[in-house]
Amino acid sequence: MFKAIVSADTLRTTIDSVGVLVDECKIHLEEDGLAIKAVDPANVGMVDLQLSNEAFESYEADGGVIGVNLDRLESIAGMASSDQLIELELDEETRKLHIKIDGLEYTLALIDPDSIRQEPDIPDLDLPATIVVEGSDIDRAVKAADMVSDHIALGVDEDENVFYIEAEGDTDNVDLKLDTDDLIDLTAGPAHSLFSLDYLKDMNKALPKNGEVTIDLGEEFPLKLHFETAEGMGEVTYMLAPRIQSD
Amino acid sequence: MFKAIVSADTLRTTIDSVGVLVDECKIHLEEDGLAIKAVDPANVGMVDLQLSNEAFESYEADGGVIGVNLDRLESIAGMASSDQLIELELDEETRKLHIKIDGLEYTLALIDPDSIRQEPDIPDLDLPATIVVEGSDIDRAVKAADMVSDHIALGVDEDENVFYIEAEGDTDNVDLKLDTDDLIDLTAGPAHSLFSLDYLKDMNKALPKNGEVTIDLGEEFPLKLHFETAEGMGEVTYMLAPRIQSD
Amino acid sequence: MFKAIVSADTLRTTIDSVGVLVDECKIHLEEDGLAIKAVDPANVGMVDLQLSNEAFESYEADGGVIGVNLDRLESIAGMASSDQLIELELDEETRKLHIKIDGLEYTLALIDPDSIRQEPDIPDLDLPATIVVEGSDIDRAVKAADMVSDHIALGVDEDENVFYIEAEGDTDNVDLKLDTDDLIDLTAGPAHSLFSLDYLKDMNKALPKNGEVTIDLGEEFPLKLHFETAEGMGEVTYMLAPRIQSD
C-alpha cells in the first residue's frame, strides 16, 4: 500500500538527486518515508537518499518496493508548478502508479524491481577530512575545471587550513582555494584525491546552490558528498570512487 | 485598396492562429475587417478567422484578396515590440505590401492568390455537446497526452456531467476530468471522438492560455474549437476531423 | 609587468568588441591602459579599441604585449557575475595570465604574439557624412535587412537631411529612414556605400543598444562605427570596407 501527497518541488528535487546518476531505480516505500540506493552502470558513483514521511503533506506506506523510470517521473512532475501538490497512489494489482495533479491523472507503468541493477552496499568509510561548504562554491569550481580538464583533484592543505579544488589541463589550470573564512566548517586531515569530472558534474547538478554541502575526503579514497533536501526532511549522500593519480 | 494600422500584438496573434495550420493563405480585405479560411494539406484541420476593423487603430479596405507567406509576415511582425503599431499598405500595382514599424519599412512581395490551396467550406455542424473551458486546461491535457500517445480522445460523461480528455499509450495513460465546478460552462450530450494529437498540439499553440475556449463535440464527429482574439474584436474557429476509433 | 583589477562587465564588453571580428589578438599593456587593433582574416573589418586605466579598479602596466585567445578569455570572464571584480596578473616568466575571481584562479596560457595576424594600420579617412544614432536603430535595420539580403546600403539623402539604411532582396526590401528628429546628430554630405551584412551583423552584436553610435560615411568608401564603452573610459572604432556596388 502506498498513497501520498507531496509538493511538486520536493518530488522533483528527490527525483533529480537520483536521476543524475541512473535512469531507473528501486524506491522503498517504508513506513517512515522513501528510501533509494543506486549505483551507476560503471560502479563509480553511488547515491543514498532518504525522504522522511514528514516531507509529505500526507503519507501512507507499508514497506513495498517499486521500480521507476526516473526520466518519465521527472517529466510528469515537471508538468506541475513548483508549489502545486502531486498525489501518488500505487495500484498493487496492476503495478501502476497513479499520479494526480489538479484533475490531471497520469497512470505510470512501473518497472519490475528485479530487472533493475542491484542496489549498492554503501561502504561506511571513516574519512580523515571533513569540509562544509556552500554548494555554489563547488558549482563554480566544477564549471571552471570543465573548461580545462576531464578530471579534478580535491584536497586539504593541513598547514594552511585550506580546502582546495584543482584541475590541470594541457595548457591552462584552475584552482579554487577556500580557507576557514570562506568555508562553513573544516576538519583538516590528510586528504588529496583525483576524481572524474563527468561524475562530479552530474552530482553537482543536484547540489543545493544556496545550501550547505558536507564533503568527506581522504588520500586516494572515495569522496562523500552529503546534503539535506526538502527543508531538512530529506538526506542525500553521494559517493564517488577516486581515479588513479597520474603524473 | 488596403491601408491599416494595427498593434503588433493583434497582428501576431492573428497570423499565429492561421500559421499553426498552413504556411500560406489568402486574406480577404473586406470593408468590415479581415477574413481568412484555410485548410491544412491533409484536409484534417481547418481554420476560419475574422478580425473586425474595430481591432485596428485605423482600417480602410474595399474587398480585395491577397496571398501571404505567413512565416515571413510573422518574422516581420516579430521585429516590433508588442505594443508598437504596425502600418500596412497595399500597393495594387506592384502587388507588394508595405509594412512600416516606427521608421522601418519592409516591402513584402505577395503571393498570387490563385497559387494558394483553395479555401475550405467549413461545414455547419450541429454538435450535441458544448464545453467552455480555460485554454490552460487544454494546454495541460495536450502536453501530458503527448508524453504517452499520438492520439487523444475528447468526450463528455453525461451521467456525471464531466468533460474528459484521455490518451492511452502502450504502458501509460493520461486522463483529465473536469466537472461543472472546473468548467466555465457545460452543455452535456453524447460525445466521444478520437483526434490526432499532432493537429491538436498545433492548434493548442494558438489557444489563449488565460482565456476561454469553446469546444463543440459529438460522437465520432469533428471537433470545433472557438475563441476570441484582439479583446473580442476577432474570432477564430478551428475544426479538426476525427480519427477512426481503434480498439 | 601587468596587474589589474576590473569589473567583469567591463572586461566582457571589451573582449566582446574585439571577439566579434577575430578569435585571437594582441593586447598592448600600456601605462595608460589597454590597446587592441585587429583585422579579420579577409581584411574586410577592423577594430581599434582603447580602454583607459581609469576603467579599472586598479591598474599597473609597463608596455608589454600579450597574445590572447578571446573565446577562452570570454568563457573565463563569463564565470563572474557582472558586478564581480576580476584580478588579472601576468607572470612574465611562464607567459601565463593569472585570472582571479573571488578565490577561484584560472591560469591562462598566452599565445605567442608573433603567431597572431599582424595588426592593421587603420587608415585616417576624412569622410564627408557623420551620423550619430541610437545603437538600437542600427540593430533594428540590421536584423530586418538580414531577412531579405546579404548586403546592406548605408547613405545620406542630402536634400531631405535623411540617413537611410536599405537592403534589397530578390523579392522583398527593407528600408529604414531616419531624419534629424530621429537622429542624435547629422552632418549631411555625399554618402552611399554598400556593405557585407555578415560583417555588420557581427559588429552590431557589440554596439551599445541603449547608447549612441557615430557613423562616418562616404561614397563607396569604408564605414566607420565609433562608440564609447566602460562609461566613457573606453573607445571602440570599427572600420568596414565597402562592397563593389552591383546593378
Side-chain angles (χ1 to χ4, degrees):
Chain A
M1 194 265 289
F2 173 61
K3 198 171 170 179
I5 301 176
V6 64
S7 77
D9 205 29
T10 297
L11 182 61
R12 279 203 289 258
T13 307
T14 303
I15 301 164
D16 287 350
S17 306
V18 182
V20 295
L21 273 190
V22 294
D23 296 332
E24 315 181 327
C25 73
K26 295 182 210 183
I27 304 181
H28 293 262
L29 310 165
E30 306 292 348
E31 276 180 47
D32 59 354
L34 301 182
I36 303 174
K37 286 184 189 176
V39 58
D40 86 286
N43 275 299
V44 173
M46 293 178 189
V47 59
D48 184 353
L49 175 142
Q50 313 277 341
L51 185 65
S52 161
N53 53 16
E54 293 174 49
F56 293 77
E57 295 294 310
S58 78
Y59 184 94
E60 288 175 79
D62 58 5
V65 178
I66 57 175
V68 168
N69 178 318
L70 291 168
D71 279 350
R72 184 46 64 108
L73 193 55
E74 202 168 4
S75 304
I76 301 165
M79 294 189 304
S81 52
S82 52
D83 56 348
Q84 249 180 337
L85 291 178
I86 298 182
E87 283 183 61
L88 305 167
E89 183 167 3
L90 175 64
D91 183 327
E92 306 264 9
E93 281 187 26
T94 60
R95 299 306 294 171
K96 302 218 173 186
L97 188 65
H98 295 273
I99 304 166
K100 281 191 204 162
I101 305 169
D102 190 19
L104 182 74
E105 178 166 338
Y106 191 106
T107 307
L108 175 70
L110 296 171
I111 302 170
D112 178 356
D114 291 339
S115 73
I116 295 177
R117 191 188 340 273
Q118 216 188 321
E119 290 161 295
D121 285 325
I122 309 235
D124 186 19
L125 300 173
D126 191 15
L127 295 163
T130 298
I131 305 103
V132 185
V133 64
E134 288 286 327
S136 56
D137 280 323
I138 300 178
D139 185 54
R140 290 202 301 145
V142 165
K143 284 183 177 154
D146 194 34
M147 294 170 60
V148 303
S149 184
D150 58 2
H151 50 268
I152 189 169
L154 278 74
V156 172
D157 180 331
E158 290 180 88
D159 296 335
E160 310 234 348
N161 260 334
V162 160
F163 166 62
Y164 60 79
I165 303 183
E166 292 170 350
E168 279 190 36
D170 291 335
T171 59
D172 297 355
N173 300 326
V174 161
D175 196 352
L176 177 69
K177 284 193 202 314
L178 299 172
D179 61 21
T180 46
D181 287 345
D182 305 315
L183 296 167
I184 298 163
D185 197 22
L186 174 69
T187 307
H192 179 93
S193 302
L194 195 67
F195 302 95
S196 158
L197 193 52
D198 275 348
Y199 283 90
L200 208 55
K201 274 163 61 183
D202 285 340
M203 292 172 176
N204 178 52
K205 285 178 203 159
L207 297 185
K209 297 297 171 280
N210 297 314
E212 64 183 59
V213 177
T214 301
I215 304 172
D216 292 327
L217 269 185
E219 285 188 307
E220 310 225 5
F221 256 83
L223 162 79
K224 263 193 178 181
L225 292 173
H226 182 84
F227 58 95
E228 292 185 346
T229 64
E231 293 169 11
M233 299 298 128
E235 292 190 6
V236 179
T237 302
Y238 289 125
M239 181 165 292
L240 178 58
R243 279 178 51 146
I244 303 307
Q245 201 86 2
S246 62
D247 276 311
Chain B
M1 193 266 289
F2 173 61
K3 198 170 169 178
I5 300 176
V6 63
S7 78
D9 205 28
T10 296
L11 182 61
R12 278 202 291 257
T13 308
T14 303
I15 301 164
D16 288 350
S17 305
V18 182
V20 294
L21 272 190
V22 293
D23 296 333
E24 315 180 329
C25 74
K26 295 182 209 184
I27 303 181
H28 293 263
L29 310 166
E30 306 292 347
E31 276 181 47
D32 60 352
L34 301 182
I36 303 174
K37 285 183 189 176
V39 58
D40 86 286
N43 274 300
V44 173
M46 292 178 189
V47 59
D48 183 355
L49 176 144
Q50 313 278 340
L51 186 66
S52 160
N53 53 18
E54 294 173 50
F56 293 77
E57 295 294 309
S58 79
Y59 183 93
E60 288 175 79
D62 58 5
V65 178
I66 56 175
V68 168
N69 178 319
L70 290 168
D71 279 350
R72 183 47 63 109
L73 193 55
E74 202 166 4
S75 304
I76 301 166
M79 294 188 304
S81 52
S82 53
D83 55 348
Q84 250 181 335
L85 291 178
I86 299 183
E87 282 183 61
L88 305 166
E89 184 166 3
L90 175 64
D91 183 327
E92 307 264 10
E93 281 188 25
T94 59
R95 300 305 295 171
K96 302 216 173 188
L97 187 65
H98 295 273
I99 304 167
K100 282 190 205 164
I101 306 169
D102 190 20
L104 182 75
E105 179 166 339
Y106 191 106
T107 306
L108 175 70
L110 296 171
I111 301 171
D112 179 355
D114 293 338
S115 73
I116 295 178
R117 191 190 337 275
Q118 216 187 321
E119 290 160 295
D121 285 323
I122 309 236
D124 186 19
L125 300 172
D126 191 16
L127 295 163
T130 298
I131 305 102
V132 186
V133 64
E134 288 286 328
S136 56
D137 281 323
I138 300 178
D139 185 54
R140 290 202 301 146
V142 164
K143 284 182 177 156
D146 194 34
M147 295 171 58
V148 302
S149 184
D150 57 4
H151 51 268
I152 189 168
L154 280 73
V156 172
D157 180 331
E158 290 181 88
D159 295 336
E160 310 234 345
N161 260 333
V162 160
F163 166 62
Y164 60 80
I165 304 183
E166 292 170 349
E168 278 189 36
D170 290 335
T171 59
D172 296 354
N173 300 325
V174 161
D175 196 352
L176 177 69
K177 284 193 202 313
L178 299 172
D179 62 22
T180 47
D181 287 344
D182 304 316
L183 296 167
I184 298 164
D185 197 21
L186 174 69
T187 307
H192 179 91
S193 302
L194 195 67
F195 302 96
S196 158
L197 192 52
D198 276 348
Y199 283 89
L200 208 55
K201 273 162 62 182
D202 286 339
M203 292 172 177
N204 178 51
K205 285 177 203 160
L207 296 186
K209 297 298 171 280
N210 296 314
E212 63 183 60
V213 177
T214 301
I215 304 172
D216 291 328
L217 269 185
E219 286 188 308
E220 309 225 5
F221 256 83
L223 163 78
K224 263 192 178 181
L225 292 173
H226 181 84
F227 57 95
E228 292 185 345
T229 63
E231 291 169 13
M233 299 298 130
E235 292 189 5
V236 180
T237 301
Y238 290 125
M239 181 165 293
L240 178 58
R243 280 178 50 146
I244 304 307
Q245 201 86 2
S246 62
D247 278 310
Chain C
M1 194 267 288
F2 172 61
K3 199 170 170 178
I5 300 176
V6 64
S7 78
D9 204 29
T10 296
L11 182 61
R12 279 202 290 257
T13 308
T14 302
I15 301 164
D16 287 350
S17 305
V18 182
V20 294
L21 273 191
V22 294
D23 295 333
E24 316 182 325
C25 73
K26 296 182 209 185
I27 303 181
H28 293 263
L29 310 166
E30 306 291 348
E31 276 181 46
D32 60 352
L34 301 182
I36 304 175
K37 285 184 189 178
V39 59
D40 86 287
N43 274 299
V44 173
M46 293 178 189
V47 58
D48 183 354
L49 176 143
Q50 313 277 341
L51 186 65
S52 161
N53 53 16
E54 295 174 49
F56 292 77
E57 295 295 309
S58 79
Y59 184 94
E60 289 176 79
D62 58 5
V65 178
I66 56 174
V68 168
N69 178 318
L70 290 167
D71 279 350
R72 183 47 63 108
L73 192 55
E74 202 167 4
S75 304
I76 301 166
M79 293 188 306
S81 52
S82 52
D83 55 348
Q84 248 180 337
L85 291 179
I86 298 183
E87 282 182 62
L88 305 166
E89 183 166 3
L90 176 64
D91 183 327
E92 306 264 10
E93 281 188 25
T94 59
R95 300 304 295 168
K96 303 218 173 187
L97 187 65
H98 295 273
I99 304 166
K100 281 191 205 161
I101 305 168
D102 189 20
L104 182 74
E105 178 166 339
Y106 191 106
T107 307
L108 175 69
L110 296 170
I111 301 171
D112 179 356
D114 293 339
S115 73
I116 296 177
R117 191 190 337 276
Q118 216 187 321
E119 290 160 295
D121 285 324
I122 309 237
D124 186 18
L125 299 172
D126 190 16
L127 294 163
T130 299
I131 304 101
V132 186
V133 64
E134 288 286 328
S136 58
D137 281 323
I138 300 178
D139 185 54
R140 290 203 301 146
V142 164
K143 283 182 178 156
D146 194 34
M147 294 171 59
V148 303
S149 184
D150 58 3
H151 51 268
I152 190 170
L154 279 73
V156 172
D157 181 330
E158 290 181 88
D159 296 335
E160 309 234 348
N161 260 333
V162 160
F163 167 62
Y164 61 80
I165 304 183
E166 293 170 349
E168 279 190 35
D170 290 335
T171 59
D172 296 355
N173 301 325
V174 161
D175 196 352
L176 177 69
K177 283 192 202 316
L178 299 172
D179 62 22
T180 47
D181 287 345
D182 305 316
L183 296 167
I184 297 163
D185 197 22
L186 173 69
T187 307
H192 180 91
S193 303
L194 195 68
F195 302 96
S196 158
L197 193 51
D198 275 348
Y199 282 90
L200 208 55
K201 275 163 61 183
D202 286 340
M203 292 173 176
N204 178 51
K205 287 177 203 160
L207 295 186
K209 297 297 171 280
N210 296 315
E212 63 184 59
V213 176
T214 301
I215 304 172
D216 293 326
L217 269 185
E219 286 188 306
E220 310 225 4
F221 257 82
L223 163 78
K224 263 192 178 180
L225 292 173
H226 182 84
F227 57 95
E228 291 184 346
T229 64
E231 292 170 11
M233 299 299 129
E235 292 190 6
V236 179
T237 301
Y238 289 125
M239 181 165 291
L240 178 58
R243 279 179 51 147
I244 303 307
Q245 201 86 4
S246 62
D247 279 312

